[in-house]
């Protein structure tokens, strides 16, 4: 690898801060704790299995690929970025998915999402979402099997059975429940009256978990570990767009519930804000966040997939370099 | 009106020529090194593609269909496309030499863009009317241009990345295009045909 190949063309950011990648990643990992604990409480021990397997697979894949490329393995793994990718992917997966789902997903995320582009800081697409999108396209059945609601989490043995064996349909039918977004998607609006607060245990679970991620996100904003523009723009557009749809008779839920469904807060604060794959300029970040909010709402309302965060993030990742080019501040004296 | 907006959105995003139908990959890989050239090629393609979309529809409806020689479609459309590109080139050269210089080699190269022929044939298989063909061609070419320009932004950025040697150049370009195609799968289900 010729080091000059990097030097030939200077890359942003040009102003370096004192905080290392490792410090920021540690803050982000800490901020994920409340959300992960609530998920564990609601969805049972499957959450731990998914996070553990995805994180282990991400770390092993990163180590193997770094070794293949002749890069320092130990030092790179200690920046915690591979660990964070694995944990984010694990948190997005259904808690009762079979073991090969998190393992394959994290492998794909680290390979095609990151190392093939040269590692941290050079990947154009969010690795965790690359893994998630590949999984939901390839294994739609396994990726939509959710279980557990408020006050009714699957037992340890149930989680272990789902993880290690491939149970048949009848077993699944007795365990799996649709998430509020899936219900919404399938048009089963009967369980969710318009605008009523918390009519359904599954909805309560969804709102609790989003509140936990929101708490973690606020901690990160306070620590200046992320740019508030991206989640703010995304949530504003999600809310405003939803209200517009409602005006024309399209929206089904109360407006606040749209903000607390699916993985909205996890996406807004932990996934959309990835500094590598987001737009870099302040104005570009407003547009970037707004775009994620708009695409999320559109895919939730009209698309085939129940939640649109992953695709919305990937779509705006695709647009990010051009957003930067369009919103680059003019240098003084240049027209 | 809603019908035409749906065709426009569908052809630009949900059924994007490049990322969901995998047409026009040669200009995607060939002329995406710089965003500026990508944008100019895109504009020229918008003009030619919309025009051929409409003209091929007219020729199909007024000549090929009445004579019952639908099997000649592909070859006739290719001739039509080549003629329109030549015509466009001559008009631009005569009326606006500056634009001709800006477009340069990319103008004649549009002839070999399979997306142009693809749209003409898709119009036939979807049984589009005259107005539908126009909107379909416009939407498809705008979607093509958008993807080309966004993709060029990534290629410019990738020049500085430490991509492993085996993946340099077209390989990483195709992987990036593949990931972008996965992102575009989010549009699935928007348009029900």
């Amino acid at each position: 690898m010729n080091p000059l190949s990097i030097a030939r063309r200077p890359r942003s950011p040009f102003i370096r801060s004192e905080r290392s990648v490792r410090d920021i990643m540690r803050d982000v990992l800490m901020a994920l704790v409340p959300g992960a604990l609530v998920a564990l409480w609601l969805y049972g021990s499957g959450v731990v299995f998914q996070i553990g397997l995805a994180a282990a697979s991400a770390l092993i894949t990163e180590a193997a690929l770094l070794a293949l490329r002749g890069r320092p393995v130990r030092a790179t793994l200690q920046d915690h970025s591979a660990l964070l990718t694995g944990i984010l992917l694990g948190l997005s997966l259904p808690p009762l998915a079979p073991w090969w789902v998190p393992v394959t997903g994290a492998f794909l995320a680290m390979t095609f999402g990151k190392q093939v582009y040269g590692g941290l800081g050079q990947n154009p697409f969010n690795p965790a979402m690359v893994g998630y999108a590949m999984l939901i396209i390839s294994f739609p059945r396994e990726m939509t099997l959710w279980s557990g609601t408020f006050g009714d989490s699957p037992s340890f043995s149930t989680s272990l059975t789902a993880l290690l064996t491939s149970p048949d349909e009848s077993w699944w039918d007795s365990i799996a429940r649709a998430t509020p977004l899936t219900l919404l998607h399938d048009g089963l609006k009967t369980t969710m009256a318009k605008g009523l607060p918390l009519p359904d245990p599954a909805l309560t679970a969804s709102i609790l978990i989003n509140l936990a991620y929101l708490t973690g996100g606020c901690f990160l904003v306070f620590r200046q570990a992320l740019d508030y523009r991206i989640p703010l723009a995304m949530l504003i557009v999600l809310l405003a767009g939803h209200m517009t749809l409602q005006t024309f008779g399209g929206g089904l839920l109360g407006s606040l519930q749209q903000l607390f469904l699916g993985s909205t807060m996890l996406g807004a604060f932990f996934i959309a804000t990835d500094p590598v794959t987001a737009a870099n300029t302040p104005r570009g970040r407003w547009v970037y966040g707004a775009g994620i909010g708009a695409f999320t709402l559109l895919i939730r309302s009209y698309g085939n997939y129940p939640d649109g965060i992953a695709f919305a993030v990937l779509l705006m990742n695709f647009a990010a370099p051009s957003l930067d080019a369009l919103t680059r501040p003019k240098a003084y004296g240049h027209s | 009106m809603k019908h035409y907006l749906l065709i426009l959105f569908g052809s630009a995003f949900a059924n994007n020529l490049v990322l969901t139908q995998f047409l026009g990959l040669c200009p995607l890989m060939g002329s995406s090194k710089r965003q500026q050239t990508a944008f100019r090629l895109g504009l020229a393609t918008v003009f030619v593609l919309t025009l051929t979309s409409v003209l091929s529809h007219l020729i199909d409806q007024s000549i090929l269909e009445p004579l019952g020689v639908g099997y000649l479609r592909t070859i006739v459309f290719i001739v039509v496309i080549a003629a329109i590109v030549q015509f466009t080139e001559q008009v631009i050269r005569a009326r606006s030499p500056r634009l001709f210089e800006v477009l340069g080699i990319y103008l004649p190269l549009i002839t070999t863009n399979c997306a142009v022929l693809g749209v003409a044939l898709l119009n036939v298989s979807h049984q589009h009317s005259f107005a539908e063909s126009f909107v379909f061609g416009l939407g498809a070419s705008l979607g093509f241009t958008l993807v080309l320009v966004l993709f060029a932004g990534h290629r410019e950025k990738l020049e500085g990345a430490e991509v492993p040697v085996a993946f340099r150049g077209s390989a990483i370009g195709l992987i990036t295009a593949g990931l972008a195609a996965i992102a575009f799968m989010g549009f699935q289900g928007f348009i029900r045909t």
Side-chain angles (χ1 to χ4, degrees):
Chain A
M1 204 67 52
N2 178 12
L4 281 178
S5 63
I6 325 162
R8 197 175 53 207
R9 196 154 179 261
R11 289 171 61 87
S12 61
F14 300 110
I15 301 173
R16 295 189 163 273
S17 98
E18 292 298 310
R19 300 167 82 190
S20 68
V21 172
R22 187 188 157 91
D23 292 340
I24 292 182
M25 294 291 169
R26 209 165 38 202
D27 272 359
V28 177
L29 286 173
M30 268 165 60
L32 278 170
V33 169
L37 285 179
V38 173
L40 175 65
W41 175 50
L42 290 170
Y43 302 126
S45 33
V47 175
V48 180
F49 299 151
Q50 299 299 327
I51 295 177
L53 281 176
S57 169
L59 286 170
I60 292 170
T61 309
E62 171 118 316
L65 292 174
L66 285 170
L68 268 179
R69 295 176 56 216
R71 293 298 171 97
V73 175
R74 185 179 288 267
T76 313
L77 284 186
Q78 277 173 352
D79 70 13
H80 293 328
S81 65
L83 183 66
L84 179 64
T85 301
I87 289 177
L88 282 176
L89 180 67
L91 283 170
S92 328
L93 294 175
L96 297 184
W99 62 270
W100 44 266
V101 166
V103 170
T104 320
F107 169 78
L108 292 171
M110 299 319 290
T111 318
F112 292 102
K114 192 172 172 194
Q115 284 299 329
V116 83
Y117 288 99
L120 182 69
Q122 328 203 36
N123 47 309
F125 295 96
N126 185 317
M129 290 304 101
V130 167
Y132 183 87
M134 285 180 167
L135 284 176
I136 203 164
I137 289 167
S138 314
F139 314 114
R141 180 177 160 271
E142 281 76 8
M143 289 294 285
T144 42
L145 289 170
W146 283 77
S147 179
T149 51
F150 182 58
D152 176 29
S153 63
S155 68
F156 181 79
S157 63
T158 310
S159 303
L160 206 61
T161 316
L163 189 77
L164 294 179
T165 61
S166 303
D168 55 6
E169 295 285 341
S170 57
W171 189 86
W172 264 115
D173 289 343
S174 66
I175 297 291
R177 285 181 187 79
T179 67
L181 269 179
T182 313
L183 281 176
L184 189 66
H185 213 76
D186 298 344
L188 299 174
K189 308 149 204 167
T190 44
T191 48
M192 284 171 292
K194 230 181 196 176
L196 277 180
L198 323 182
D200 182 17
L203 195 59
T204 316
S206 197
I207 290 173
L208 278 178
I209 209 161
N210 271 289
L211 280 175
Y213 285 129
L214 176 62
T215 315
C218 291
F219 166 74
L220 286 184
V221 173
F222 174 71
R223 296 274 293 175
Q224 297 191 329
L226 57 79
D227 191 337
Y228 69 92
R229 294 179 184 89
I230 297 170
L232 190 62
M234 173 180 159
L235 296 177
I236 287 175
V237 167
L238 196 58
L239 193 62
H242 176 72
M243 286 162 119
T244 317
L245 276 185
Q246 255 185 341
T247 319
F248 294 104
L252 292 171
L253 287 172
S255 306
L256 274 177
Q257 292 169 11
Q258 178 79 19
L259 286 186
F260 292 98
L261 274 186
S263 44
T264 308
M265 292 297 169
L266 180 66
F269 287 96
F270 295 93
I271 291 164
T273 49
D274 172 17
V276 176
T277 56
N280 277 323
T281 63
R283 272 192 300 155
R285 285 186 166 171
W286 283 113
V287 181
Y288 175 82
I292 293 178
F295 282 130
T296 302
L297 184 68
L298 284 175
I299 293 171
R300 276 182 185 176
S301 311
Y302 302 112
N304 274 353
Y305 298 99
D307 203 351
I309 303 264
F311 291 106
V313 168
L314 290 177
L315 281 169
M316 290 314 287
N317 285 164
F318 187 47
S322 306
L323 286 179
D324 282 342
L326 284 174
T327 56
R328 190 173 294 143
K330 297 249 184 311
Y332 184 68
H334 289 255
S335 57
Chain B
M1 190 61 204
K2 197 183 168 197
H3 175 64
Y4 292 111
L5 279 178
L6 274 180
I7 293 184
L8 192 70
F9 179 84
S11 53
F13 291 100
N15 297 316
N16 186 280
L17 276 181
V18 187
L19 293 181
T20 43
Q21 318 219 35
F22 306 113
L23 291 170
L25 288 178
C26 0
L28 182 76
M29 299 310 298
S31 42
S32 56
K33 290 253 166 60
R34 289 280 162 268
Q35 238 171 346
Q36 191 79 24
T37 44
F39 182 64
R40 285 169 184 167
L41 175 71
L43 283 190
T45 312
V46 169
F47 180 74
V48 170
L49 208 152
T50 314
L51 198 60
T52 50
S53 176
V54 170
L55 272 183
S56 62
H57 169 79
L58 285 181
I59 287 172
D60 187 60
Q61 289 297 306
S62 54
I63 301 175
L64 299 182
E65 278 293 318
L67 293 179
V69 286
Y71 57 87
L72 287 176
R73 220 166 256 143
T74 310
I75 203 159
V76 170
F77 285 178
I78 290 176
V79 174
V80 170
I81 292 166
I84 289 176
V85 172
Q86 277 302 309
F87 167 76
T88 316
E89 201 180 339
Q90 285 177 2
V91 170
I92 292 182
R93 181 189 270 167
R95 305 285 303 187
S96 164
R98 192 149 167 273
L99 181 63
F100 182 77
E101 226 165 86
V102 166
L103 290 175
I105 183 73
Y106 298 109
L107 202 48
L109 270 183
I110 296 172
T111 319
T112 60
N113 186 348
C114 52
V116 184
L117 180 64
V119 166
L121 290 172
L122 280 173
N123 273 329
V124 176
S125 69
H126 290 320
Q127 300 182 313
H128 280 153
S129 70
F130 180 82
E132 284 170 341
S133 300
F134 173 75
V135 176
F136 186 74
L138 185 68
S141 54
L142 286 177
F144 170 81
T145 307
L146 180 73
V147 168
L148 192 65
V149 170
L150 295 184
F151 185 67
H154 279 283
R155 301 264 334 245
E156 281 186 9
K157 215 175 160 189
L158 277 176
E159 271 180 22
E162 304 164 89
V163 177
V165 181
F167 290 100
R168 297 247 169 100
S170 309
I172 197 71
L174 282 169
I175 289 176
T176 310
L179 292 177
I182 287 178
F184 266 65
M185 286 191 79
F187 290 117
Q188 265 188 4
F190 275 52
I191 310 289
R192 299 184 203 283
T193 43

